[in-house]
């Protein structure tokens, strides 16, 4: 639990008035524009000891709750192809993989047209890569997770025969607007059910 004495407590994903002092004696200067208009007389601080002050305080709590919930609901999983589609690759140069088939995209931070995830808020994120291909003694399978232009995580497998199925994952600190995507390694191939997924662990 995070608590700012006399103002609010934060616990289990909810922002609540302090249980011991639900309407503390505290002066607040409201942002009238953000509130959609003054709740009190202009240039007056909000006193949480009267009805209008309590109304403003309740609005503040609800607004912060809504903002926090919108930010924290970030998660996606997307597949490179569906069953029956042909293998992708090999290519002579690194190639961005575009995972078109979206299973989940809470927060709409993943773009199925580009294959890129864009961080909607500064925070810690978790990403996972799952690769699949058929080994035939010619090409391996693998790729990199890329943050902006930096390769930060790789996965690769080679087999003469049989199914190649392997995964990797990482936690990353992302700034607002950072982009994360997957590149296929040169001379590699991938098939169904190759997937890319990630979610926000917590904002910072």
């Amino acid at each position: 639990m995070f608590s700012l004495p006399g103002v609010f407590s934060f616990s289990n994903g909810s922002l609540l008035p302090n249980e011991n002092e639900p309407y503390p004696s505290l002066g607040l200067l409201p942002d009238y524009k953000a509130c959609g208009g003054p709740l009190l007389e202009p240039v007056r601080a909000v006193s949480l000891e009267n009805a209008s002050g309590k109304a403003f305080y309740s609005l503040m709590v609800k607004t912060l709750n809504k903002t926090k919930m919108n930010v924290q609901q970030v998660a996606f999983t997307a597949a490179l192809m569906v069953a029956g589609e042909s293998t992708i690759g090999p290519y002579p140069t690194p190639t961005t993989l575009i995972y078109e088939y979206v299973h989940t995209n809470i927060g709409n931070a993943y773009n199925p047209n580009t294959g890129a995830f864009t961080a909607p808020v500064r925070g810690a994120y978790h990403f996972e890569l799952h690769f699949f291909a058929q080994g035939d003694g010619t090409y391996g399978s693998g790729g990199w997770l890329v943050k902006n232009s930096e390769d930060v995580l790789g996965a690769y497998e080679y087999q003469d025969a049989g199914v190649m199925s392997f995964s990797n994952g990482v936690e990353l600190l992302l700034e607002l607007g950072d982009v994360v995507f997957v590149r296929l390694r040169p001379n590699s191939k991938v098939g169904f059910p190759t997937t890319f997924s990630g979610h926000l662990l917590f904002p910072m």
Side-chain angles (χ1 to χ4, degrees):
M1 172 181 288
F2 172 76
S3 178
L4 185 57
V7 183
F8 62 83
S9 296
F10 172 72
S11 177
N12 298 326
S14 298
L15 189 61
L16 301 171
N18 189 301
E19 293 180 359
N20 298 322
E21 196 175 9
Y23 296 107
S25 299
L26 179 70
L28 297 174
L29 185 63
D31 182 342
Y32 294 113
K33 181 183 292 186
C35 292
L39 297 177
L40 302 174
E41 292 293 327
V43 306
R44 279 188 53 195
V46 177
S47 171
L48 298 183
E49 295 179 321
N50 56 45
S52 55
K54 292 177 181 179
F56 173 76
Y57 182 75
S58 297
L59 176 62
M60 179 185 69
V61 170
K62 290 178 181 178
T63 300
L64 290 173
N65 255 331
K66 184 176 180 180
T67 300
K68 175 181 175 294
M69 289 300 294
N70 287 341
V71 167
Q72 285 198 331
Q73 293 178 346
V74 180
F76 77 97
T77 297
L80 192 62
M81 59 186 68
V82 296
E85 290 191 344
S86 60
T87 297
I88 294 177
Y91 302 113
T93 58
T95 302
T96 299
L97 294 176
I98 299 177
Y99 297 76
E100 298 181 15
Y101 302 95
V102 178
H103 298 295
T104 304
N105 195 12
I106 300 170
N108 294 314
Y110 174 74
N111 187 336
N113 297 313
T114 64
F117 172 87
T118 303
V121 65
R122 184 179 191 270
Y125 293 79
H126 177 78
F127 295 95
E128 291 187 4
L129 309 177
H130 299 277
F131 290 95
F132 178 92
Q134 188 70 35
D136 58 11
T138 58
Y139 297 100
S141 178
W144 296 285
L145 183 75
V146 182
K147 173 186 172 183
N148 298 325
S149 60
E150 176 189 3
D151 296 337
V152 295
L153 177 72
Y156 180 80
E157 186 171 340
Y158 174 89
Q159 289 184 186
D160 289 331
V163 173
M164 297 184 289
S165 179
F166 53 102
S167 305
N168 209 346
V170 67
E171 281 74 39
L172 294 176
L173 173 60
L174 301 182
E175 301 294 335
L176 172 66
D178 278 347
V179 177
V180 178
F181 58 97
V182 182
R183 282 194 185 128
L184 182 67
R185 288 170 54 106
N187 300 314
S188 291
K189 60 182 181 178
V190 287
F192 176 81
T194 296
T195 60
F196 175 35
S197 62
H199 62 273
L200 174 67
L201 295 172
F202 47 85
M204 296 179 63

